[in-house]
Amino acid sequence: MQDSDFDDLSTTRMTEISTIAGSVDANAPADTREASLVVLAGWEIGKEIKVTQTPMIVGRAAQAEICINAPSISRNHAKIEWVEAGAEGAHFQITDLASSNGTRVNNVRVTTKELQNGDKIHMGDVLFKFVLQDAVEAQFHQDVHRLIHYDQLTGLLTREAFRQRLDALLRITPKEQRMTLAMTDLDGLKRVNDRHGHLMGSRIIREMGGVVRECMREQDVAGIYGGDECMLLFPATALDGGRAQSEILRQRIQEHIFSEEHADVRVTISIGLAEWPTHGDAAVPLLAAADRALYAAKAAGRNCIRGVDDLDTV
Protein backbone atom coordinates (compact mmCIF):
# COMPACT_ATOMS: atom_id res chain seq x y z
CA MET A 1 0.00 0.00 0.00
CA GLN A 2 1.31 3.45 -0.88
CA ASP A 3 1.73 6.26 1.69
CA SER A 4 -1.06 8.21 -0.02
CA ASP A 5 -3.45 5.36 0.72
CA PHE A 6 -2.74 5.68 4.45
CA ASP A 7 -3.11 9.49 4.23
CA ASP A 8 -6.51 9.01 2.58
CA LEU A 9 -7.54 6.60 5.33
CA SER A 10 -6.49 9.09 8.04
CA THR A 11 -8.43 11.90 6.34
CA THR A 12 -11.47 9.66 5.99
CA ARG A 13 -11.20 8.67 9.65
CA MET A 14 -11.21 12.29 10.87
CA THR A 15 -14.09 13.15 8.50
CA GLU A 16 -16.12 10.23 9.88
CA ILE A 17 -15.47 11.34 13.47
CA SER A 18 -16.58 14.90 12.64
CA THR A 19 -19.71 13.61 10.91
CA ILE A 20 -20.60 11.37 13.85
CA ALA A 21 -19.98 14.20 16.33
CA GLY A 22 -22.38 16.43 14.44
CA SER A 23 -25.20 13.96 15.03
CA VAL A 24 -24.96 13.94 18.85
CA ASP A 25 -27.98 15.44 20.63
CA ALA A 26 -26.74 17.05 23.85
CA ASN A 27 -30.31 18.09 24.78
CA ALA A 28 -31.83 14.62 24.99
CA PRO A 29 -34.09 14.18 28.08
CA ALA A 30 -32.15 13.10 31.17
CA ASP A 31 -34.45 10.14 31.84
CA THR A 32 -33.48 8.59 28.50
CA ARG A 33 -29.76 8.63 29.32
CA GLU A 34 -27.49 5.97 30.76
CA ALA A 35 -24.32 6.48 32.81
CA SER A 36 -20.93 5.67 31.32
CA LEU A 37 -17.23 6.27 31.77
CA VAL A 38 -15.49 7.31 28.55
CA VAL A 39 -11.69 7.00 28.41
CA LEU A 40 -10.06 10.28 27.36
CA ALA A 41 -6.37 9.48 27.95
CA GLY A 42 -3.96 6.92 29.37
CA TRP A 43 -5.65 3.72 28.18
CA GLU A 44 -8.01 2.78 25.31
CA ILE A 45 -9.00 6.27 24.18
CA GLY A 46 -12.69 6.51 23.29
CA LYS A 47 -13.64 3.29 25.04
CA GLU A 48 -17.05 3.54 26.69
CA ILE A 49 -17.72 1.60 29.89
CA LYS A 50 -21.33 1.36 31.02
CA VAL A 51 -21.97 2.17 34.69
CA THR A 52 -24.87 0.36 36.36
CA GLN A 53 -26.64 0.93 39.66
CA THR A 54 -24.96 -2.19 41.04
CA PRO A 55 -21.73 -1.19 42.90
CA MET A 56 -18.73 -1.50 40.57
CA ILE A 57 -15.06 -1.77 41.51
CA VAL A 58 -12.63 -0.06 39.13
CA GLY A 59 -9.14 -1.55 39.21
CA ARG A 60 -6.39 -3.58 37.64
CA ALA A 61 -7.53 -6.85 39.22
CA ALA A 62 -9.09 -9.32 36.81
CA GLN A 63 -12.02 -9.68 39.22
CA ALA A 64 -12.87 -5.95 39.13
CA GLU A 65 -16.20 -5.14 37.49
CA ILE A 66 -14.36 -2.47 35.49
CA CYS A 67 -10.92 -3.95 34.77
CA ILE A 68 -8.39 -1.34 33.61
CA ASN A 69 -5.07 -2.97 32.77
CA ALA A 70 -2.88 0.08 33.28
CA PRO A 71 0.13 0.05 35.64
CA SER A 72 -0.84 3.30 37.41
CA ILE A 73 -4.21 1.81 38.43
CA SER A 74 -4.34 -0.08 41.75
CA ARG A 75 -5.79 -3.58 41.82
CA ASN A 76 -8.86 -2.22 43.58
CA HIS A 77 -8.64 1.50 42.87
CA ALA A 78 -12.11 2.97 43.37
CA LYS A 79 -15.79 2.07 43.73
CA ILE A 80 -18.67 3.64 41.81
CA GLU A 81 -22.12 3.12 43.27
CA TRP A 82 -25.68 4.38 43.06
CA VAL A 83 -26.90 6.28 46.12
CA GLU A 84 -30.65 6.56 46.56
CA ALA A 85 -30.63 9.61 48.86
CA GLY A 86 -28.49 12.71 49.04
CA ALA A 87 -28.51 16.49 48.96
CA GLU A 88 -29.29 16.39 45.22
CA GLY A 89 -31.43 13.26 45.35
CA ALA A 90 -30.40 9.90 43.92
CA HIS A 91 -26.99 9.98 42.23
CA PHE A 92 -23.79 8.10 41.41
CA GLN A 93 -20.80 8.57 43.67
CA ILE A 94 -17.16 7.49 43.53
CA THR A 95 -15.08 6.35 46.51
CA ASP A 96 -11.32 5.93 46.46
CA LEU A 97 -10.25 2.55 47.91
CA ALA A 98 -6.93 3.68 49.44
CA SER A 99 -5.33 3.50 45.98
CA SER A 100 -1.62 4.14 45.51
CA ASN A 101 -2.02 7.03 43.06
CA GLY A 102 -5.34 8.42 44.28
CA THR A 103 -8.57 9.41 42.61
CA ARG A 104 -9.20 12.96 41.42
CA VAL A 105 -12.46 14.49 40.23
CA ASN A 106 -11.99 17.68 38.21
CA ASN A 107 -8.36 17.79 39.43
CA VAL A 108 -9.31 17.62 43.12
CA ARG A 109 -8.22 14.55 45.06
CA VAL A 110 -11.25 12.92 46.68
CA THR A 111 -12.18 10.22 49.14
CA THR A 112 -15.88 10.13 48.26
CA LYS A 113 -17.53 12.43 45.73
CA GLU A 114 -20.92 12.73 44.07
CA LEU A 115 -20.58 12.48 40.29
CA GLN A 116 -22.09 15.01 37.91
CA ASN A 117 -22.54 14.71 34.17
CA GLY A 118 -19.28 15.76 32.50
CA ASP A 119 -16.99 15.23 35.53
CA LYS A 120 -13.36 14.38 34.65
CA ILE A 121 -11.99 11.54 36.77
CA HIS A 122 -8.28 10.75 37.07
CA MET A 123 -7.28 7.33 38.37
CA GLY A 124 -3.51 7.22 38.21
CA ASP A 125 -2.57 8.24 34.66
CA VAL A 126 -5.94 7.23 33.18
CA LEU A 127 -8.47 10.00 32.52
CA PHE A 128 -12.18 9.25 32.29
CA LYS A 129 -15.20 11.42 31.65
CA PHE A 130 -18.38 10.55 33.52
CA VAL A 131 -21.31 11.06 31.15
CA LEU A 132 -25.05 10.60 31.07
CA GLN A 133 -25.76 9.85 27.43
CA ASP A 134 -28.48 8.69 25.10
CA ALA A 135 -28.23 6.00 22.43
CA VAL A 136 -26.87 8.41 19.80
CA GLU A 137 -24.07 9.61 22.07
CA ALA A 138 -23.24 6.03 23.05
CA GLN A 139 -22.98 5.08 19.38
CA PHE A 140 -20.70 8.07 18.81
CA HIS A 141 -18.23 6.90 21.45
CA GLN A 142 -18.31 3.36 20.08
CA ASP A 143 -17.58 4.64 16.58
CA VAL A 144 -14.75 6.89 17.79
CA HIS A 145 -13.20 3.95 19.65
CA ARG A 146 -13.42 1.81 16.51
CA LEU A 147 -11.88 4.50 14.30
CA ILE A 148 -8.99 5.07 16.71
CA HIS A 149 -8.13 1.49 17.61
CA TYR A 150 -8.97 -0.52 14.48
CA ASP A 151 -7.31 -0.44 11.09
CA GLN A 152 -9.95 0.67 8.60
CA LEU A 153 -8.69 -1.51 5.74
CA THR A 154 -8.43 -4.87 7.52
CA GLY A 155 -10.68 -4.45 10.56
CA LEU A 156 -7.80 -5.63 12.76
CA LEU A 157 -6.41 -3.74 15.73
CA THR A 158 -3.84 -1.07 14.91
CA ARG A 159 -0.25 -1.77 15.95
CA GLU A 160 -0.57 0.56 18.94
CA ALA A 161 -3.87 -0.96 20.10
CA PHE A 162 -2.51 -4.51 19.74
CA ARG A 163 0.54 -3.58 21.77
CA GLN A 164 -1.71 -2.21 24.54
CA ARG A 165 -3.66 -5.48 24.63
CA LEU A 166 -0.42 -7.51 24.60
CA ASP A 167 1.14 -5.48 27.42
CA ALA A 168 -2.05 -5.76 29.47
CA LEU A 169 -2.22 -9.55 29.08
CA LEU A 170 1.46 -9.94 29.93
CA ARG A 171 0.89 -8.02 33.17
CA ILE A 172 -2.02 -10.12 34.41
CA THR A 173 -1.17 -13.61 33.11
CA PRO A 174 0.67 -15.96 35.50
CA LYS A 175 3.96 -17.09 33.98
CA GLU A 176 3.05 -20.74 34.37
CA GLN A 177 0.27 -20.10 31.82
CA ARG A 178 1.72 -20.06 28.32
CA MET A 179 0.75 -17.76 25.42
CA THR A 180 1.75 -17.92 21.77
CA LEU A 181 2.49 -14.90 19.59
CA ALA A 182 2.45 -15.21 15.80
CA MET A 183 3.88 -12.89 13.16
CA THR A 184 2.48 -13.39 9.66
CA ASP A 185 3.36 -12.11 6.19
CA LEU A 186 1.65 -12.77 2.85
CA ASP A 187 3.77 -14.46 0.20
CA GLY A 188 3.92 -12.97 -3.28
CA LEU A 189 2.07 -9.70 -2.68
CA LYS A 190 4.75 -7.66 -4.48
CA ARG A 191 4.26 -9.86 -7.55
CA VAL A 192 0.51 -9.19 -7.40
CA ASN A 193 1.10 -5.44 -7.08
CA ASP A 194 3.50 -5.46 -10.05
CA ARG A 195 1.16 -7.49 -12.24
CA HIS A 196 -2.31 -6.32 -11.20
CA GLY A 197 -1.69 -2.97 -9.52
CA HIS A 198 -1.87 -1.68 -5.97
CA LEU A 199 -5.67 -1.60 -5.92
CA MET A 200 -5.65 -5.38 -6.23
CA GLY A 201 -2.98 -5.54 -3.53
CA SER A 202 -5.17 -3.44 -1.21
CA ARG A 203 -8.14 -5.70 -1.93
CA ILE A 204 -6.07 -8.74 -0.94
CA ILE A 205 -4.97 -7.09 2.32
CA ARG A 206 -8.58 -6.17 3.12
CA GLU A 207 -9.85 -9.70 2.45
CA MET A 208 -6.91 -11.14 4.39
CA GLY A 209 -8.14 -9.18 7.40
CA GLY A 210 -11.54 -10.81 7.05
CA VAL A 211 -10.04 -14.30 6.85
CA VAL A 212 -7.87 -13.61 9.92
CA ARG A 213 -10.88 -12.45 11.93
CA GLU A 214 -12.86 -15.54 10.94
CA CYS A 215 -10.03 -17.82 12.11
CA MET A 216 -9.62 -16.20 15.53
CA ARG A 217 -11.19 -17.70 18.64
CA GLU A 218 -13.12 -15.40 20.97
CA GLN A 219 -10.15 -14.97 23.32
CA ASP A 220 -7.55 -14.39 20.57
CA VAL A 221 -6.22 -10.95 19.60
CA ALA A 222 -5.33 -9.93 16.03
CA GLY A 223 -3.60 -6.77 14.89
CA ILE A 224 -1.98 -5.31 11.79
CA TYR A 225 1.75 -4.68 12.08
CA GLY A 226 2.12 -2.86 8.79
CA GLY A 227 1.28 -3.47 5.15
CA ASP A 228 0.27 -7.14 4.96
CA GLU A 229 2.03 -8.24 8.15
CA CYS A 230 -0.13 -9.27 11.11
CA MET A 231 0.39 -10.03 14.79
CA LEU A 232 -1.75 -12.72 16.41
CA LEU A 233 -1.91 -13.51 20.12
CA PHE A 234 -3.26 -16.82 21.38
CA PRO A 235 -3.80 -16.49 25.15
CA ALA A 236 -3.62 -19.55 27.42
CA THR A 237 -2.15 -21.44 24.47
CA ALA A 238 1.25 -23.16 24.42
CA LEU A 239 3.34 -23.30 21.24
CA ASP A 240 1.79 -26.54 19.92
CA GLY A 241 -1.69 -25.08 20.31
CA GLY A 242 -0.59 -21.86 18.63
CA ARG A 243 0.80 -23.89 15.74
CA ALA A 244 -2.54 -25.69 15.34
CA GLN A 245 -4.46 -22.39 15.31
CA SER A 246 -1.99 -20.89 12.84
CA GLU A 247 -2.33 -23.89 10.54
CA ILE A 248 -6.06 -23.18 10.27
CA LEU A 249 -5.22 -19.68 9.04
CA ARG A 250 -2.48 -20.91 6.68
CA GLN A 251 -4.86 -23.33 5.00
CA ARG A 252 -7.67 -20.78 4.75
CA ILE A 253 -5.41 -18.23 3.03
CA GLN A 254 -4.01 -20.88 0.68
CA GLU A 255 -7.53 -21.91 -0.38
CA HIS A 256 -8.96 -18.40 -0.64
CA ILE A 257 -9.50 -16.88 -4.08
CA PHE A 258 -8.98 -13.12 -4.13
CA SER A 259 -11.18 -11.86 -6.93
CA GLU A 260 -11.30 -8.62 -8.88
CA GLU A 261 -13.24 -7.79 -12.03
CA HIS A 262 -10.44 -8.90 -14.36
CA ALA A 263 -8.49 -11.38 -12.24
CA ASP A 264 -8.62 -14.18 -9.70
CA VAL A 265 -5.50 -14.33 -7.55
CA ARG A 266 -4.18 -16.76 -4.97
CA VAL A 267 -1.52 -15.97 -2.38
CA THR A 268 -0.12 -17.86 0.60
CA ILE A 269 1.04 -16.85 4.06
CA SER A 270 4.16 -17.49 6.14
CA ILE A 271 3.91 -17.58 9.94
CA GLY A 272 6.47 -17.36 12.74
CA LEU A 273 5.68 -18.39 16.32
CA ALA A 274 7.12 -17.59 19.74
CA GLU A 275 5.92 -18.71 23.17
CA TRP A 276 5.64 -16.53 26.26
CA PRO A 277 7.55 -16.57 28.55
CA THR A 278 9.78 -19.29 27.07
CA HIS A 279 11.08 -17.17 24.16
CA GLY A 280 10.64 -13.73 25.71
CA ASP A 281 9.21 -12.51 29.01
CA ALA A 282 8.23 -9.05 27.70
CA ALA A 283 6.60 -7.67 24.57
CA VAL A 284 9.70 -6.53 22.69
CA PRO A 285 11.76 -9.75 22.95
CA LEU A 286 8.66 -11.85 22.29
CA LEU A 287 7.87 -9.91 19.10
CA ALA A 288 11.51 -10.13 18.03
CA ALA A 289 11.52 -13.90 18.55
CA ALA A 290 8.35 -14.36 16.49
CA ASP A 291 9.83 -12.16 13.76
CA ARG A 292 12.96 -14.36 13.62
CA ALA A 293 10.72 -17.40 13.23
CA LEU A 294 8.81 -15.63 10.44
CA TYR A 295 12.06 -15.04 8.54
CA ALA A 296 12.85 -18.74 8.96
CA ALA A 297 9.46 -19.63 7.46
CA LYS A 298 10.20 -17.38 4.49
CA ALA A 299 13.64 -18.96 4.07
CA ALA A 300 12.11 -22.46 4.23
CA GLY A 301 10.15 -21.82 1.04
CA ARG A 302 7.15 -19.77 2.29
CA ASN A 303 3.60 -20.99 2.88
CA CYS A 304 4.68 -22.68 6.11
CA ILE A 305 4.92 -22.22 9.87
CA ARG A 306 8.09 -22.05 11.93
CA GLY A 307 8.46 -21.69 15.67
CA VAL A 308 11.45 -20.45 17.61
CA ASP A 309 12.00 -24.06 18.73
CA ASP A 310 12.46 -25.01 15.07
CA LEU A 311 15.37 -22.58 14.82
CA ASP A 312 17.16 -24.38 17.62
CA THR A 313 17.01 -27.67 15.75
CA VAL A 314 18.30 -26.36 12.39
Side-chain angles (χ1 to χ4, degrees), residues 13-195:
R13 183 175 304 183
M14 295 310 298
T15 301
E16 289 181 8
I17 290 175
S18 299
T19 301
I20 295 167
S23 68
V24 172
D25 180 8
N27 298 313
D31 59 4
T32 68
R33 296 186 173 195
E34 296 183 347
S36 296
L37 294 176
V38 178
V39 181
L40 299 183
W43 193 52
E44 290 192 29
I45 296 172
K47 184 175 181 65
E48 178 208 355
I49 303 164
K50 292 188 181 301
V51 176
T52 68
Q53 293 186 9
T54 303
M56 306 179 77
I57 301 297
V58 183
R60 200 176 70 250
Q63 297 78 16
E65 285 80 10
I66 301 176
C67 183
I68 308 295
N69 292 311
S72 62
I73 298 283
S74 295
R75 291 182 59 79
N76 295 295
H77 196 105
K79 178 172 68 173
I80 298 176
E81 58 189 331
W82 177 253
V83 179
E84 290 290 350
E88 302 297 329
H91 61 274
F92 284 99
Q93 73 176 22
I94 188 167
T95 300
D96 184 75
L97 299 177
S99 64
S100 299
N101 294 316
T103 300
R104 290 176 289 149
V105 178
N106 299 324
N107 283 326
V108 177
R109 189 157 183 163
V110 301
T111 301
T112 297
K113 178 74 168 65
E114 179 180 334
L115 291 175
Q116 303 285 343
N117 186 29
D119 279 348
K120 306 288 199 318
I121 304 170
H122 270 100
M123 298 185 200
D125 295 331
V126 182
L127 175 62
F128 304 90
K129 184 177 182 180
F130 178 76
V131 295
L132 300 173
Q133 59 183 2
D134 61 17
V136 175
E137 292 169 313
Q139 185 62 52
F140 164 70
H141 289 118
Q142 292 171 17
D143 289 344
V144 168
H145 181 265
R146 173 180 55 82
L147 291 167
I148 292 174
H149 295 280
Y150 287 86
D151 175 67
Q152 299 305 293
L153 182 62
T154 62
L156 305 178
L157 288 169
T158 64
R159 186 193 306 189
E160 295 78 9
F162 180 91
R163 179 62 185 272
Q164 287 179 355
R165 299 279 184 92
L166 174 60
D167 288 340
L169 282 169
L170 294 184
R171 281 196 298 269
I172 66 173
T173 303
K175 290 203 172 182
E176 60 269 18
Q177 185 180 106
R178 300 292 188 255
M179 288 190 286
T180 298
L181 178 73
M183 292 285 289
T184 77
D185 186 30
L186 290 178
D187 306 318
L189 187 63
K190 183 180 184 302
R191 171 178 50 80
V192 172
N193 286 335
D194 291 344
R195 182 173 180 179

